[in-house]
Amino acid sequence: MIRHIVFFSARQKQDVEMIREELSALGSIPHSTVFEVTVNTKVDWYSDEIDIVVYAEFADQAALDAYKADPIYDRTTQRVRPMRELRFSADVVAA
């Protein structure tokens, strides 16, 4: 299983909800077994740069690759990119 975790910050704070809504469209891509888009609660004392977290689980690399190849992924990326400041992504293989 692969855990796909992506962190976003908004260029303008008023865009956080719009970014969350746009990223939620990724949940309609059928290749993930778990998919969540959440707004960061920002309770960490040392860092509050991250506004939104995308968390998804995929059975294997082929499922993750199919997810990223879907036209919805490309369309969502094009819509979100102008509104985001930071984007950090991690793909973790779980036992």
Side-chain angles (χ1 to χ4, degrees):
M1 175 185 56
I2 298 174
R3 293 181 179 137
H4 177 67
I5 309 161
V6 188
F7 301 93
F8 293 88
S9 68
R11 287 183 193 274
Q12 298 182 25
K13 296 310 173 191
Q14 68 265 23
D15 291 335
V16 169
E17 182 56 26
M18 177 62 75
I19 294 170
R20 189 199 63 75
E21 288 176 16
E22 292 288 344
L23 292 171
S24 293
L26 297 171
S28 66
I29 302 173
H31 304 286
S32 63
T33 57
V34 172
F35 185 86
E36 301 173 353
V37 178
T38 57
V39 174
N40 184 12
T41 59
K42 297 188 178 191
V43 296
D44 186 85
W45 293 357
Y46 304 106
S47 174
D48 70 350
E49 293 92 350
I50 302 304
D51 295 310
I52 300 164
V53 180
V54 174
Y55 176 82
E57 294 179 0
F58 298 88
D60 52 28
Q61 188 63 49
L64 178 56
D65 291 345
Y67 165 81
K68 289 183 176 181
D70 191 286
I72 294 170
Y73 184 89
D74 184 51
R75 187 168 51 246
T76 301
T77 299
Q78 290 180 28
R79 289 179 178 169
V80 170
R81 185 176 285 137
M83 293 185 284
R84 71 167 167 81
E85 183 70 31
L86 299 173
R87 180 191 178 274
F88 297 103
S89 179
D91 296 311
V92 180
V93 177

